[in-house]
Amino acid sequence: MWIQRFLTGLLLAMMASSVLAFDRPFPPIAKRGTMAMGPHPEIVINGKTRRLSAGGRIFNQQNLIQMSSSIIASDLVINYTEDSQGDIDRVWILTEKE
């Protein structure tokens, strides 16, 4: 009985770890650059001041939305997309593997 519970727990743990190890799907139009934060809603991408769109989202390395005011690092490697006005609408802070 305890072997069956152990094996069930082991199987669930293996399935959970495979869910956590996923590749983020970036859109084909995503561009790569480095980012530093400026005064909201401005961000500096590749040394050029850009504007974050009204519905713009920044995703951290765990693919969770991060508020721009909580980002203190500079020269973060990112992927980003632009909207039709040229504003930045999505930013993904990349991990070392990406």
Side-chain angles (χ1 to χ4, degrees), residues 40-98:
H40 186 73
E42 295 178 355
I43 57 176
V44 180
I45 296 180
N46 297 331
K48 187 176 177 185
T49 301
R50 305 289 301 270
R51 190 170 184 85
L52 194 62
S53 69
R57 294 170 294 193
I58 299 174
F59 298 95
N60 63 13
Q61 292 91 341
Q62 291 79 33
N63 214 34
L64 301 172
I65 294 177
Q66 184 161 355
M67 304 304 289
S68 60
S69 60
S70 67
I71 299 173
I72 56 174
S74 61
D75 295 330
L76 296 167
V77 179
I78 60 165
N79 280 352
Y80 66 96
T81 59
E82 301 170 335
D83 63 9
S84 58
Q85 269 68 48
D87 293 337
I88 307 301
D89 63 349
R90 289 179 290 177
V91 175
W92 294 270
I93 301 173
L94 301 179
T95 62
E96 289 184 17
K97 291 180 183 178
E98 294 172 328

Side-chain angles (χ1 to χ4, degrees), residues 5-29:
R5 287 184 183 172
F6 174 75
L7 292 176
T8 303
L10 182 64
L11 178 66
L12 290 174
M14 287 176 21
M15 287 174 36
S17 67
S18 67
V19 169
L20 295 175
F22 64 94
D23 291 329
R24 293 193 280 182
F26 300 114
I29 59 169

